Amino acid sequence: MNRWPPRPSLSRSFYKAHGLGNDYLVFEEGDGWEATPKNIGRVCDRFRGVGADGIVVLSAPDRASSDGGASGGPLEVRLRMFNPDGGEFERSGNGLRILGSYLARTDAALRRIVAHVGGDHVEMTVHGREGPRHDISIDMGSASTGPVAIDGDVAAFERRDSGSWLLRGPEEERLVVVPVSVGNPHLVVLATDLDDFSEARLAQLGPFLTQHPSL
């Protein structure tokens, strides 16, 4: 069963920025185009589209709380986030900070934002602005670890005393990993030699782990 609601339609105008080199496009809901996987892929394409690591959608009907933050309370917004392949996901810290800069650039008094995204809510603080740059922090909540934290199949992992786990790699090698979630699932691969993270190795590991049937 699909856990995500129907695909939204978006406006044609957008805001683009980056946080630590991780760039996202912010679109508000509108009637310009439908956010299908194919269309999102075209927009995020760095050679034939605008180019981005993903898209943040600001849902128009639920954009503001009753006072819009005017009384000193937080501005509440409802969001959806999409990867460049069109898949929807829970949240991105940098994507949320970019959304925060989009909102803060038109409201100099904005300080607090509550973003409802991925079935949860995240609190954001706008600390200041210097030219086009915003200083924004996010409370992503407590991190949880282990296969259960990322909805992984525990049977595919072998537990180690250090808190890490072992998982079979693309060539049946033993990978030392730490499954961790801060609202969005990650799998941290540990190694003692930087050669283990060569471009060729990353190109092999990335697709393998992304499509792993136990993750």
Side-chain angles (χ1 to χ4, degrees):
M1 186 174 75
N2 188 0
R3 58 173 293 196
W4 304 109
R7 294 275 166 159
S9 293
L10 311 183
S11 66
R12 292 188 179 275
S13 60
F14 61 87
Y15 173 75
K16 181 175 181 178
H18 78 87
L20 302 175
N22 193 199
D23 61 343
Y24 277 81
L25 301 170
V26 177
F27 286 88
E28 296 200 25
E29 287 190 330
D31 56 4
W33 59 286
E34 186 179 1
T36 62
K38 183 176 182 180
N39 287 340
I40 289 174
R42 286 174 171 173
V43 171
C44 291
D45 189 292
R46 296 194 180 278
F47 297 98
R48 294 172 292 182
V50 179
D53 290 322
I55 286 177
V56 182
V57 176
L58 181 59
S59 299
D62 300 304
R63 173 168 177 171
S65 61
S66 58
D67 65 359
S71 66
L75 172 67
E76 296 198 32
V77 294
R78 193 167 300 278
L79 312 174
R80 296 176 69 178
M81 306 190 82
F82 297 90
N83 281 314
D85 64 1
E88 190 162 0
F89 68 104
E90 291 83 359
R91 60 180 178 256
S92 157
N94 285 325
L96 288 168
R97 291 169 63 222
I98 291 165
L99 181 278
S101 73
Y102 171 72
L103 296 171
R105 63 195 276 269
T106 57
D107 184 355
L110 182 61
R111 290 294 178 267
R112 294 189 296 154
I113 304 167
V114 175
H116 299 269
V117 59
D120 202 350
H121 70 277
V122 179
E123 297 185 9
M124 308 164 59
T125 303
V126 181
H127 298 283
R129 175 175 181 173
E130 183 179 345
R133 295 176 294 183
H134 289 90
D135 181 8
I136 298 173
S137 64
I138 302 174
D139 183 357
M140 294 287 283
S142 300
S144 54
T145 61
V148 175
I150 62 170
D151 292 329
D153 181 1
V154 177
F157 294 80
E158 181 183 338
R159 191 181 185 92
R160 305 177 84 213
D161 293 338
S162 62
S164 59
W165 300 70
L166 294 176
L167 181 70
R168 293 291 179 180
E171 298 178 357
E172 290 298 309
E173 74 275 27
R174 289 154 68 92
L175 299 175
V176 181
V177 302
V178 179
V180 59
S181 174
V182 283
N184 49 347
H186 293 77
L187 188 68
V188 180
V189 181
L190 305 179
T192 57
D193 190 336
L194 287 179
D195 288 339
D196 290 342
F197 294 134
S198 65
E199 290 295 330
R201 177 64 167 160
L202 292 175
Q204 179 190 41
L205 277 180
F208 173 79
L209 293 174
T210 300
Q211 301 171 33
H212 198 290
S214 298
L215 301 177

